[in-house]
Amino acid sequence: MNDILVVDDNRTMLMFMERVLTKRGFNVTTANDGTQALTVLEECPHIQFVLSDWMMPEMDGIELCSRLKSGSYSRYIFFVLLSGKDDQESIIDGINAGADDFVVKDTHVDEISARIKAGFRTLELHNQITAQNNELDSAYAIMKKDLESAGDLLKRLLPAERKLSGVEISYVSLPSAQIGGDMLGYMQLDEENVGFYLLDVAGHGVSSALMSFSVQQSIAVNTGKGSIVKSPIEQAPFYKINSPDSVLKQLNDLYLSDDHNLLYFTMVYSVLNVKTGMLEFSIAGHPPLVWLHAATGDAEFIGQDSFVVGAFDFVEYQTARIQLEPGDKIWIYSDGITEAEKGSEQFTEEGLRQTVMEIKHHPTTVQTEMLVNRVRDWQRSEQFDDDVSVLVVEWTGYSEGEQSCNTKLSTRVNAQFFK
């Protein structure tokens, strides 16, 4: 790297600078004014060092410097302004125009050569940093594309069917970044039972997303010896549906943290008998559920004091049971929705409960989207700082013609209610 463009309208000065700099090992190209200099630089993209006179016709050194230092110019140029003036105002004008150095014409040629060499060292460092930044940009672009692909894959894992036998379901899942740590889902366990869940892995990014994906895969297997939601038995129907607390216990055993893996997650796992309306659920460190009563329009919290999944080996979970009436809804959500912020204020669980009651007359299929939009309007921002997941399940009741079931069973067994 020793190519220099010398610009001067004085032919004698131009020839002198070309001769002395060539003797010192520089490859010198010349131009008679600023306009010609721009043409030379366009034709010679390898030149990044310009030594230019100040006073020239058509385009002087100050204007040439301003153009080369503008953000729209195609490459970085190290610019040295050569002038017959040695006053402070001239130096300030040159530096304000973007010049990297200022040299008076009567400066000894050895000093000029030393300054040029120093300029090339700065130029080389700049080019190294630029090359490294380009490599980083390229790596980031690849990572961004991979993350977007991973995000699309996680979205495909979300259930497509919104209506199962005896229930109507609506959900929203919004990662705060390209991929998030929330996951939700539901499945037909058999003709009478539907399982549904929502989990929130601590943290954000790839590691959290991979864990949520892994947990989802663990739950998705609902047949055979590898299933954690069903267990084989010897009598017909040759399986039994595992209780929600048993499912959480198995997940805790599978994902117990060690010194190399400090990830854990909160979770709700539930099983609804679609013929009787009996709901069994177990909570692992997750916010309480919201139970919306169709008969009264009131909503209340139901929850349990419990530990997260994957943090402790001594954890025992509990299964709670409630009896739903036709039209009752169960809302499950991640704390990204209740901890949405407007200044120092949070939306809160109570804000969610009130909103659930306000939108109860709208179709179930649109209620989760309405809730999320209410929170967006409240915080005056489209974006959330945390992953947001909301799942609502409505028990529509047993089909007409089926034998009536006793729906007047105890409604508050093994569950804690939060007002």
Side-chain angles (χ1 to χ4, degrees), residues 48 58 78 85 87 99 153 208 233 265 280 282-283 290 307 318 327 358 384 402 406 417:
Q48 287 186 267
E58 294 192 31
F78 192 92
K85 302 178 181 180
D87 59 280
L153 175 61
S208 298
I233 58 176
F265 55 94
E280 297 185 342
S282 188
I283 298 179
V290 176
F307 291 98
Q318 296 180 343
E358 291 171 5
F384 292 94
E402 291 185 337
N406 180 12
F417 291 73

Side-chain angles (χ1 to χ4, degrees), residues 205-220:
V206 175
S207 58
S208 298
L210 287 175
M211 173 165 272
S212 68
F213 170 78
S214 179
V215 175
Q216 191 272 347
Q217 293 298 295
S218 298
I219 298 173

Side-chain angles (χ1 to χ4, degrees), residues 250-263:
Q250 291 181 75
L251 288 173
N252 190 66
D253 293 340
L254 282 172
Y255 294 97
L256 193 62
S257 299
D258 54 33
D259 293 338
H260 305 290
N261 174 28
L262 300 178
L263 287 176

